[in-house]
Amino acid sequence: MRVLVVEDEPKVAQALKSGLADEGYEAVVAATGEEGFYQASGTGFDIIVLDLMLPGRDGLEILQTLRRGGVDTPVIILTARDGVEDRVRGLDCGADDYLVKPFALAELSARIRALLRRGRTDEALRLKCADLELDLVSRSVTRGGRSIGLTGREFELLEYLLRHAGRIVTRSQLAAEVWKVSRRATPLDNVIDVHIARLRKKVDHGRGPRLIHTVRGVGFILRDETGGAQA
Ligand code: CA
């Protein structure tokens, strides 16, 4: 799940970013309205947390322009305590929810979960391949209906493989996208291989046809080779 945080105060932005990361979200911070608008216009965010008080381009104007442009990503606006009018206008402009500053991170993540549940069909929040299912809201994984316990990193790795099901993913892709390491003196290859081996043991071993395949010299592919449909 990717969250765009549009917030100009570095301390608040940083706290949100790390807090959301602890909750298992990938948070991207935009520090200006202009940057926020640019990021939000692209695809790939599941939710947008938008501060209304921004230098340059103000939050409400951004929200309005996004909605007019057909961007329907759920938006939570952040408003000042006395900003009753802002809240009303924000909701009128197409915000899905609001939070009054200062707020507890737990409150924000509860709102995010609620919006994700409400705003999407169950399908979008569940990734599947054959009888393997990953639920992004409860962060649980099952195969053939039996639950599989994964560590946080294993979950992210499996999520990445499922999002790219049927396509080869390289180790450097995994290092950059799952481990968030793009350049490193020592490659992460061994670490990745160890995680893949553990994941494979949990997901494939004794649970049915193998889904996680190694493509020698290239990387990995998650694929149902028994001819079942992939979702
Ligand atoms: Ca601000």
Side-chain angles (χ1 to χ4, degrees):
M1 292 274 115
R2 297 185 79 223
V3 182
L4 173 65
V5 175
V6 188
E7 167 63 79
D8 59 306
E9 289 161 64
K11 268 189 185 166
V12 179
Q14 202 41 54
L16 286 177
K17 190 180 161 84
S18 61
L20 288 170
D22 289 345
E23 298 274 323
Y25 299 103
E26 184 194 333
V28 173
V29 172
T32 65
E34 203 51 56
E35 169 69 10
F37 177 75
Y38 173 75
Q39 293 268 15
S41 309
T43 48
F45 288 103
D46 300 286
I47 208 146
I48 299 167
V49 177
L50 177 66
D51 185 31
L52 291 188
M53 299 277 284
L54 293 164
R57 205 163 172 181
D58 116 303
L60 278 178
E61 194 263 321
I62 291 170
L63 178 58
Q64 223 162 8
T65 315
L66 285 173
R67 291 299 188 235
R68 275 202 213 109
V71 175
D72 60 0
T73 312
V75 172
I76 299 176
I77 52 171
L78 307 179
T79 71
R81 185 164 296 284
D82 53 359
V84 183
E85 220 169 285
D86 277 353
R87 296 203 275 284
V88 175
R89 279 176 58 215
L91 295 170
D92 281 345
C93 286
D96 298 271
D97 205 346
Y98 67 84
L99 269 177
V100 175
K101 281 177 157 183
F103 53 84
L105 193 80
E107 175 83 54
L108 176 63
S109 51
R111 301 287 178 94
I112 290 177
R113 278 198 299 276
L115 272 184
L116 291 174
R117 244 182 265 124
R118 179 177 99 196
R120 301 269 198 114
T121 64
D122 282 354
E123 287 304 303
L125 295 170
R126 217 169 278 160
L127 302 171
K128 286 183 205 172
C129 179
D131 59 349
L132 175 68
E133 282 194 31
L134 179 146
D135 187 312
L136 290 162
V137 174
S138 62
R139 287 180 73 79
S140 60
V141 175
T142 58
R143 181 146 188 204
R146 285 159 64 205
S147 133
I148 300 175
L150 298 182
T151 64
R153 184 76 79 187
E154 288 165 356
F155 184 90
E156 282 155 28
L157 181 57
L158 184 61
E159 177 184 347
Y160 192 83
L161 291 171
L162 275 164
R163 285 191 190 277
H164 296 80
R167 284 174 280 165
I168 294 172
V169 299
T170 63
R171 288 183 179 81
S172 58
Q173 232 175 311
L174 292 174
E177 305 290 331
V178 178
W179 273 263
K180 313 290 176 204
V181 173
S182 49
R183 275 176 179 279
R184 202 165 177 269
T186 335
L188 279 178
D189 291 13
N190 289 337
V191 175
I192 291 171
D193 288 354
V194 166
H195 277 81
I196 287 279
R198 275 196 214 134
L199 190 58
R200 186 177 268 151
K201 205 171 171 190
K202 292 182 178 179
V203 169
D204 282 342
H205 191 76
R207 291 190 183 253
R210 182 189 261 215
L211 297 176
I212 302 169
H213 308 269
T214 301
V215 183
R216 207 170 292 276
V218 188
F220 310 95
I221 185 167
L222 187 139
R223 181 166 61 189
D224 177 16
E225 292 183 340
T226 59
Q230 270 174 21

